[in-house]
């Protein structure tokens, strides 16, 4: 069974949601650079202070910072039981750095998986995306009362889910991550799945592709 994968997709494509499902079913370690950065910001660590403005404005944080964080997560034998890299790499420089890190650890990637979603669908999804104080990320059709439909908990917006920042994140994706997709397309590890549809539909497609 495939165990070491990179998951690629635009903001709002469902990378994090699908990676969490894979982690739950197969026990692979979900490594999300977005989650790591948000937790550093929340902890008010030195790294958090360095990256906060980039993240909140929807810009890529400097490569050297993100590469150090990834190295730490993959070092020792943490990567041996399998992992899903979500949010890294995001440009070709990061991908080449990842190749070197994995070579040093004698690890081969099993797949690079693109979750392909229409841009209109992405904008629609992000506008419904909230964070519940109890359940974490949730999709809410009508958030007028700012309450979670599952538990009644308070709903927040992710700091970088404002319309202006979302637009910027989509531009960054088109400018930097598209060329990364083309870079991986030339290799036989690359797989693409249609990411439109329900969470479960997309999850079944992912498992079939893997
Ligand atoms: P999304 O994929 O929905 O934009 P993420 O949670 O993956 O959300 O990332 C949120 C933010 O974290 C990005 O907009 C960027 O500022 C930062 N970030 C995450 N991964 C990387 C990375 N590999 N390189 C640079 N910045 C990153």
């Amino acid at each position: 069974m495939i165990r070491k994968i990179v998951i690629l997709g635009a903001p709002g494509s469902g990378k994090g949601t699908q990676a969490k499902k894979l982690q739950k079913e197969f026990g692979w370690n979900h490594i999300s650079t977005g989650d790591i950065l948000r937790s550093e910001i929340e902890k008010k660590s030195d790294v958090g202070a360095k990256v906060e403005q980039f993240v909140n404005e929807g810009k890529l944080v400097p490569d050297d910072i993100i590469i150090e964080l990834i190295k730490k997560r993959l070092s020792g034998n943490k990567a041996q039981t399998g992992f899903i890299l979500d949010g890294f790499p995001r440009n070709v420089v990061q991908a080449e750095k990842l190749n070197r890190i994995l070579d040093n650890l004698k690890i081969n990637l099993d797949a690079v998986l693109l979750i392909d979603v229409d841009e209109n669908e992405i904008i629609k999804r992000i506008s419904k995306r909230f964070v519940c104080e109890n359940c974490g990320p949730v999709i809410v059709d009508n958030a007028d009362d700012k309450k979670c439909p599952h538990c009644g908990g308070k709903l927040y917006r992710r700091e970088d889910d404002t319309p202006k920042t979302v637009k910027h994140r989509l531009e960054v994706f088109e400018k930097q991550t598209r060329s990364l997709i083309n870079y991986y397309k030339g290799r036989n590890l690359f797989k693409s799945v249609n990411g439109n549809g329900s969470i479960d539909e997309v999850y079944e497609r992912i498992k079939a592709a893997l």
Side-chain angles (χ1 to χ4, degrees):
M1 185 60 182
I2 287 169
R3 301 180 305 153
K4 289 156 187 153
I5 66 180
V6 165
I7 197 162
L8 301 176
S13 59
K15 295 180 304 262
T17 306
Q18 299 295 341
K20 283 195 188 86
K21 284 177 81 74
L22 290 169
Q23 166 166 275
K24 197 162 167 213
E25 182 168 350
F26 300 104
W28 306 328
N29 190 5
H30 174 207
I31 304 173
S32 155
T33 44
D35 287 351
I36 295 169
L37 294 171
R38 280 186 290 277
S39 119
E40 294 293 333
I41 294 170
E42 206 167 314
K43 280 193 288 192
K44 302 202 184 299
S45 68
D46 289 347
V47 174
K50 281 192 205 143
V51 301
E52 182 164 17
Q53 199 173 356
F54 292 100
V55 172
N56 289 348
E57 290 176 0
K59 297 182 176 144
L60 292 190
V61 313
D63 289 337
D64 52 333
I65 297 182
I66 206 84
I67 287 162
E68 274 317 302
L69 289 172
I70 284 292
K71 256 195 202 153
K72 239 193 265 166
R73 295 298 189 294
L74 292 176
S75 63
N77 50 15
K78 283 182 220 141
Q80 304 304 331
T81 50
F83 57 80
I84 311 146
L85 274 182
D86 158 14
F88 180 90
R90 254 177 154 89
N91 57 32
V92 173
V93 171
Q94 294 182 3
E96 298 202 313
K97 200 74 197 182
L98 176 64
N99 289 342
R100 242 167 295 151
I101 296 172
L102 294 176
D103 279 351
N104 284 337
L105 293 166
K106 303 206 169 20
I107 287 174
N108 291 320
L109 276 183
D110 295 301
V112 175
L113 182 85
L114 170 69
I115 305 187
D116 202 8
V117 182
D118 301 339
E119 186 165 328
N120 288 342
E121 171 68 16
I122 286 190
I123 292 169
K124 219 165 53 191
R125 279 189 198 173
I126 295 183
S127 69
K128 296 184 189 172
R129 182 153 88 172
F130 291 84
V131 181
C132 162
E133 59 179 346
N134 306 314
C135 316
V138 286
I139 296 287
V140 184
D141 279 324
N142 181 352
D144 288 348
D145 60 1
K146 301 220 160 38
K147 288 218 171 80
C148 173
H150 310 292
C151 75
K154 206 165 166 190
L155 291 180
Y156 299 88
R157 271 269 182 215
R158 231 170 80 170
E159 196 85 40
D160 61 349
D161 273 349
T162 61
K164 184 164 161 242
T165 310
V166 168
K167 187 165 168 279
H168 191 75
R169 281 159 60 210
L170 288 170
E171 280 166 15
V172 169
F173 176 76
E174 284 307 327
K175 270 204 212 113
Q176 307 206 34
T177 312
R178 276 283 171 216
S179 51
L180 174 70
I181 293 170
N182 291 331
Y183 167 93
Y184 279 127
K185 265 189 186 158
R187 307 170 152 225
N188 53 10
L189 300 177
F190 183 81
K191 295 169 197 296
S192 171
V193 298
N194 174 359
N196 299 288
S198 75
I199 291 174
D200 288 338
E201 272 163 10
V202 176
Y203 188 56
E204 288 310 315
R205 286 182 205 137
I206 288 175
K207 287 205 288 184
L210 293 178

